[in-house]
């Protein structure tokens, strides 16, 4: 059983920063990519960023480019999301996801990812 556990969410003012962590545990699994998605109330889950574990190439949603940074620590089996210059529209539950299958496209598609964490709430006050 693979578990992804997110942490680091919370309440922050506009312009502030937060760092999310996602630790993978359980049975060893070969991951191709790990990603962050988010879901605001009444909205669909949306892609935030992904990192190809081996390279590590990174891809970002346009809405967070230049403000968010995804990174990974191989030894700690952890992926991070550094979020700076936060805006009220960044308020959402943030989910970590892992893909075990290589893909050359569609990295923003939730269906490409096999494992998901339980989510961590990020609230940005205006």
């Amino acid at each position: 059983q693979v578990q992804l556990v997110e942490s680091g969410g919370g309440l922050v003012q506009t312009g502030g920063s937060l760092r999310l962590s996602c630790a993978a545990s359980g049975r060893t699994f070969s991951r191709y990519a790990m990603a962050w998605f988010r879901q605001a109330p009444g909205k669909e889950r949306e892609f935030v960023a992904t990192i190809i574990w081996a390279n590590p190439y990174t891809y970002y949603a346009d809405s967070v480019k230049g403000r968010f940074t995804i990174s990974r620590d191989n030894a700690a089996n952890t992926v991070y999301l550094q979020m700076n210059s936060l805006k009220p529209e960044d308020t959402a539950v943030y989910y970590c996801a892992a893909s075990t299958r290589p893909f050359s496209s569609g990295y923003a598609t939730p269906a490409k990812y096999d494992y998901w964490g339980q989510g961590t709430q990020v609230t940005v006050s205006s």
Side-chain angles (χ1 to χ4, degrees):
Q1 183 75 9
V2 173
Q3 286 187 318
L4 302 179
V5 180
E6 302 100 333
S7 61
L11 173 64
V12 66
Q13 291 186 334
T14 296
S17 298
L18 282 174
R19 187 194 196 204
L20 305 183
S21 300
C22 172
S25 64
R27 68 173 180 85
T28 301
F29 70 103
S30 177
R31 77 206 73 185
Y32 177 73
M34 291 191 73
W36 289 95
F37 286 77
R38 66 187 182 187
Q39 188 166 17
K43 295 188 176 181
E44 291 188 355
R45 190 167 297 191
E46 68 168 344
F47 169 76
V48 175
T50 195
I51 185 165
I52 308 302
W53 204 256
N55 310 86
Y57 291 151
T58 56
Y59 302 92
Y60 296 91
D62 287 343
S63 59
V64 306
K65 209 171 287 184
R67 300 188 298 123
F68 291 10
T69 302
I70 189 170
S71 62
R72 58 116 170 92
D73 183 332
N74 247 343
N77 264 336
T78 299
V79 64
Y80 304 98
L81 185 69
Q82 178 65 44
M83 305 186 296
N84 298 328
S85 302
L86 282 161
K87 306 175 182 179
E89 51 263 44
D90 294 318
T91 295
V93 177
Y94 282 70
Y95 297 91
C96 173
S99 172
T100 61
R101 298 162 288 161
F103 49 79
S104 58
S105 64
Y107 53 81
T109 305
K112 294 286 188 179
Y113 298 87
D114 307 292
Y115 299 105
W116 291 82
Q118 81 290 347
T120 185
Q121 177 70 46
V122 171
T123 303
V124 184
S125 63
S126 56

